[in-house]
Amino acid sequence: MMTQLRPAALRHGLRALATACTALLIASHAHAQKLEVTTSFSILGDLVSQVGGERVKVRALIGADEDAHAFQPRPSDARNVGGAALVVVNGLGFDDWMVRLARSGGYKGEVVVASAGIDTLAMTKDDAHDHGHDHGHDGEKANDKADARAVDPHAWQDVGNVRRYVANIADALTKADPEGASAYRANAERYDGELKALDAEIRAAFAALPAERRKVVSSHDAFGYFGRAYGIRFLSPVGVSNNAEPTAQGVARLIRQLKAEKVPAVFIENVADPRLIERIRSESGAQIGGTLYSDALSKADGPAPSYVRMMRANLDALRQAMSGAN
């Protein structure tokens, strides 16, 4: 015989069921509510995604295969940055515009500088004045700052530096979302191990090549940290800024140098106009070594959709060109 519930017991049971359902809905909503992080460019966006995992939603203002030197923020970008829970920049003058954009969009939080604490590489004075990443520094103040301590901003081209980036990003995410601390630390530890192995792989690959073959030409001077870390000599027709216009005299001097030193290959960058490199190739006799990824990842279906795959794509292209016969 089925027991019939009294009205009071029925009401109590329904309230308990409703409370349980509400708690489940709140928990589900909280789990689905991801930390919104905005970064300046695609490489940095990938690093944040690697550390943040499923707890973060990342937006990179400068996307795959896009040139950071030519980027001009839109009004919608200011709104997007202003609504973020966390803003992460490279620093070193690469994306100073991002700080101003965040403030104009109403962002009140900390702007995290991923490169903090790395051993920076100085630029030449000419590169400092040609540097085109700032997108509107305040004239004299910016020039004074550049003259005092001009640094190359492309620090991610050394995997050892990116291990510091990852530690800084993990600290920032933990501060912004303390409940995710264990997940962020675990992700960072896993990824750091992957980066450590990648760094060793690149070092071993180039150490096996004769020193006289470890030199190439790239579209612009974005590989200083790569060269310092892995013993490669990079020559470039333009300075750190991809927008800088090379002089005819400078290009002619570079071509003479390529012929004299028997540089094995010239490389086109995924974000650069290939016409200048093609001219240098045709006049110097060097071969086109392929594409290098400097300031941006490739799209998802390309060879460099993540930082690790980007560095391996660059390694493969450089090693193949340097190990070939003259």
Side-chain angles (χ1 to χ4, degrees), residues 3 6 35 40-41 128 131 151 191 211 237 254 324:
T3 303
R6 295 185 179 184
L35 188 74
S40 49
F41 68 123
H131 189 209
V151 298
Y191 192 47
L254 177 60

Side-chain angles (χ1 to χ4, degrees), residues 41-276:
F41 68 123
S42 59
I43 295 171
L44 202 54
D46 178 60
L47 301 183
V48 174
S49 295
Q50 293 291 338
V51 179
E54 295 182 354
R55 296 188 68 90
V56 301
K57 178 182 178 182
V58 183
R59 174 189 288 113
L61 295 189
I62 306 171
D65 288 324
E66 292 185 1
D67 185 1
H69 303 265
F71 177 72
Q72 294 297 330
R74 302 170 294 267
S76 59
D77 292 325
R79 292 193 296 272
N80 288 334
V81 178
L86 190 67
V87 171
V88 182
V89 300
N90 180 75
L92 308 179
F94 183 79
D95 44 15
D96 288 354
W97 52 269
M98 184 78 160
V99 179
R100 296 189 295 276
L101 190 68
R103 299 309 179 206
S104 68
Y107 178 74
K108 304 297 184 185
E110 177 187 4
V111 176
V112 178
V113 179
S115 64
I118 68 158
D119 179 17
T120 57
L121 185 64
M123 293 192 296
T124 66
K125 187 173 181 181
D126 288 342
D127 283 347
H129 286 291
D130 286 340
H131 189 209
H133 292 275
D134 281 350
H135 300 278
H137 256 319
D138 295 329
E140 187 176 338
K141 182 179 178 182
N143 288 334
D144 289 344
K145 183 178 179 182
D147 289 340
R149 184 74 169 90
V151 298
D152 184 341
H154 305 88
W156 60 85
Q157 289 293 341
D158 177 350
V159 180
N161 287 338
V162 170
R163 296 178 67 189
R164 168 60 63 182
Y165 278 48
V166 167
N168 291 336
I169 289 168
D171 287 343
L173 290 175
T174 298
K175 184 177 178 181
D177 176 24
E179 291 184 1
S182 60
Y184 299 138
R185 295 301 178 196
N187 290 342
E189 185 176 350
R190 170 199 57 77
Y191 192 47
D192 182 69
E194 189 175 352
L195 293 173
K196 184 177 180 180
L198 174 64
D199 188 51
E201 177 186 345
I202 297 173
R203 290 180 186 279
F206 289 126
L209 295 175
E212 63 271 15
R213 292 202 63 84
R214 282 185 259 143
K215 50 193 174 185
V216 294
V217 173
S218 60
S219 303
H220 84 294
D221 195 8
F223 295 93
Y225 289 93
F226 193 111
R228 182 179 72 175
Y230 307 117
I232 309 298
R233 186 180 175 199
F234 284 88
L235 305 171
S236 170
V238 299
V240 168
S241 170
N242 206 22
N243 286 335
E245 287 293 334
T247 64
Q249 183 181 12
V251 171
R253 184 170 61 248
L254 177 60
I255 290 171
R256 288 196 300 271
Q257 185 178 9
L258 299 188
K259 291 179 178 179
E261 297 189 22
K262 296 182 171 60
V263 173
V266 295
F267 285 86
I268 299 168
E269 292 171 38
N270 65 319
V271 296
D273 187 331
R275 289 174 294 182
L276 176 59

Side-chain angles (χ1 to χ4, degrees), residues 247-309:
T247 64
Q249 183 181 12
V251 171
R253 184 170 61 248
L254 177 60
I255 290 171
R256 288 196 300 271
Q257 185 178 9
L258 299 188
K259 291 179 178 179
E261 297 189 22
K262 296 182 171 60
V263 173
V266 295
F267 285 86
I268 299 168
E269 292 171 38
N270 65 319
V271 296
D273 187 331
R275 289 174 294 182
L276 176 59
I277 285 294
E278 175 56 33
R279 175 191 161 193
I280 292 170
R281 183 209 63 77
S282 64
E283 294 185 26
S284 69
Q287 66 172 324
I288 292 289
T291 299
L292 292 180
Y293 292 84
S294 54
D295 296 357
L297 302 176
S298 71
K299 291 182 171 57
D301 58 352
S306 70
Y307 174 75
V308 168
R309 290 184 62 182

